[in-house]
Amino acid sequence: MYADIIIDITNEKLDKIFQYTVPKELEGKLAVGTEVLVPFGKGNKETRGYIVGFSETPGYDPAKIKEILAVPGESVGIETRLVALAAWMKESYGGTMIQALKTVLPIKRKEREREKKTLVLLVSPEEGEKRLRWYQKKNQKARARLLEALLSSPRLDYDLAREKLNITPPVVRALEEDGLLLTESSRVYRNPVQAGRKAGRQIAYTTEQAEAIRRFSEDYDRGLRRTYLVYGVTGSGKTEVYMAMIRKVVEAGRQAIVLIPEIALTWQTVLRFQRMFGDRVSILNSRMSAGERYDQMQRAKKGEIDVMIGPRSALFTPFPRLGLIVIDEEHEGSYKSEQVPRYHARETAVERARLEGAGVVLGSATPSLEAFYRCERGEYVLLRLPSRAGSGTLPRVRVADMREELKKGNRSIFSDSLRELMADRLQKGQQTMLFINRRGYAGFVSCRSCGHVIKCPHCDVSLSAHRGGRLVCHYCGYERPMVRTCPECGSPHIGGFKAGTQQIEEMVKREFPGARVLRMDADTTRRKDGHEKILSAFGDGEADILVGTQMIVKGHDFPNVTLVGVLAADMSLYTDDYRSAERTFQLLTQAAGRAGRGEGGGEVVIQTYSPEHYSIETAARQDYEAFYEEEIRYREIMGYPPAAHLLAVLLAAQDEEKLTTASAYLKEFAARLGSSGQLAVIGPASPHVGKVSDVYRKILYLKSEKYGMLVKAKDRMEQYIELNRGFRDIRIQFDFDPVHSF
Ligand code: ADP
Ligand code: ZN
Ligand code: ZN
């Protein structure tokens, strides 16, 4: 028996695993994560290490493999549990043990003195393509090269671009002057949470809040550690409930982690936690340097804080006695990692809590299908907060059928009802938010006259328009030519869906010349604090209308906003993946939640070409459960998560022909792995971006009702790939139950 051992886990390299033999007397006493003493290096210096895996075969000459000396046998440290968590992540999500360890363990890095610069694309892909053709025509090769790179990856490391693309500073400046890109420098925030005053504040919990807190506390006192879903509309007082639960845990001498998507983590939220827990709270955010993050992690380990608030990566805070993990807005896509290991924070939190003997509390106004499904099956405990706790009533929602507007001859982006309400608000001195539901690539094709959308006959997701006039399914690879007229009604008004925040801002100004308009999107929030500045200006009443993407729907309370307009609800409805209806429901519900946070209540207008679509209908009624029932039925029929599981296998190579052959072989191999009915293989298809800087990509999907079946399939595919020469120059990545499209 051999053990794989990692020696210095705080080393920034963290890339070597050494094999040792397990002596007879230790057999059966070791597990993944166990701390051991081993002879290391030339002098066989007695050194501490952690076991990260076992094997029965030696990796090299058995005579040269040294033996484990002993188990130090003190109390089990936090590292042991984190290493075990990493092993679980490697197993459940693929990737190497090293990649998993690097995700989970806080690593000390030497600070680089130099500022890190990033080049950020400022224009839409369409506009970029247009400029690209222009540069190419003018034979401005370096500019074209840089723009092309930015079009396939809108955030580029500056140093990397200089080195690998051979781009000089004048070229960067030229694109900057053309308004195509922006250079961003990473900045450092000192002291994330300054020592603040605790304020003894008493609120009288609503009956529902009190009930949720009581259920949790009773379970906790009885030693029951479970996963709870706090399902409550925006403003129902979920945060107050989390804080009460955390206080319970902290008073018992344990610590808590609070995950909040970065964009929703407002200064107000930090203050609320600080008022209850004083400076025993810390936060993590992506703008902190590696060194600062490491410092915060060390403070947690040393017991200097009780509560850590942060985005996904805060899940790995090395608290000595973790008691609770809270995941707010648990439905958010940002909880799924886009890097290997592609873990989901929700599932990983449940596993970490199991290893630590902690509880998990999830919260959302629009729970993920996954979380609600587990509640229905009795795996999670559902805690409901059905009404708003503070001031404010739920808004009135109406749906504007844009097909009717077209029939009436209204070709503007505003329906008559939205225009009238906006004029009314301007006159009353109240504020309006216009929300454009814009996602990365809305490549779908739809009919403006009847709302028909071209879908894949096999996968029931929208087809995407690709270059060269083809419509492609990103799951199975089905293709058909672009349509000129609507197959349903014959109308020629069929095509892609395009609208940007900037155009909308201009149209608002044209329509309402006296109105003061602010815009918030990726462009206007690039600068430091850009996001906060715009929101506080709007909150201060410096504008009448705020136009923005989904980022305006998160977090902030604006009591003077009495109207919310959703301009293109269909944009997220027909993205090319199975989660599009769910995402639409979430976005619409949250957008609606922005109206009427004050006394007067508010109104919401949802503009759409598909008013009869269930996700729009149920969002208009603010009826999550009706939405859930429809959606889970679709997932069950089509075999999509959470009713079944999906494993995406992404293949990438420079040689297109080799890639095509390899994907076909891998598909065949995968198809033989499970008997029919247990495992289905779909594809290979070309993903959204079929080629990234000269690397071609293909994707295969495996579907099974059993997650374990997919894990096994992944292991077998890995072995197959390793033994097969045809895969030598092909990079392969796995993504279980993918959240982001490729
Ligand atoms: P959520 O997290 O569900 O959006 P919050 O906890 O932020 O809700 O509460 C929304 C607002 O209502 C906050 O201003 C909060 O202080 C207030 N609030 C919450 N619970 C109560 C309560 N029991 N009594 C009075 N105000 C409350
Ligand atoms: Zn039509
Ligand atoms: Zn398909």
Side-chain angles (χ1 to χ4, degrees), residues 414 418-419 421-427 429-435 504-520 534 537-539 541-548 552 560-561 563-565 567:
F414 303 110
L418 179 58
R419 189 185 296 110
L421 287 171
M422 284 173 73
D424 173 70
R425 295 311 191 262
L426 280 171
Q427 200 216 332
Q430 296 173 348
Q431 290 176 302
T432 297
M433 282 170 108
L434 289 183
F435 164 58
I504 287 170
E505 183 188 14
E506 278 157 26
M507 284 185 241
V508 173
K509 284 180 174 159
R510 211 174 309 145
E511 193 89 33
F512 303 101
R516 296 164 305 160
V517 186
L518 272 174
R519 173 164 64 93
M520 184 156 128
I534 295 171
F538 188 61
E542 285 170 30
D544 307 302
I545 298 168
L546 175 63
V547 177
I552 68 174
N560 199 32
V561 171
L563 175 63
V564 169
L567 291 179

Side-chain angles (χ1 to χ4, degrees), residues 447-452 486-491 494:
C447 173
R448 301 289 189 280
S449 302
C450 77
H452 180 72
C486 173
E488 275 302 297
C489 74
S491 161
I494 189 157

Side-chain angles (χ1 to χ4, degrees), residues 442-503:
F444 73 93
V445 168
S446 71
C447 173
R448 301 289 189 280
S449 302
C450 77
H452 180 72
V453 172
I454 316 283
K455 289 190 171 187
C456 174
H458 312 294
C459 306
D460 202 24
V461 297
S462 320
L463 295 179
S464 288
H466 275 219
R467 270 181 243 176
R470 310 216 39 90
L471 291 170
V472 180
C473 172
H474 287 157
Y475 282 150
C476 71
Y478 170 86
E479 277 195 34
R480 56 162 296 167
M482 178 71 191
V483 292
R484 300 275 161 249
T485 56
C486 173
E488 275 302 297
C489 74
S491 161
H493 298 291
I494 189 157
F497 216 102
K498 287 186 204 81
T501 39
Q502 218 166 334
Q503 287 105 296

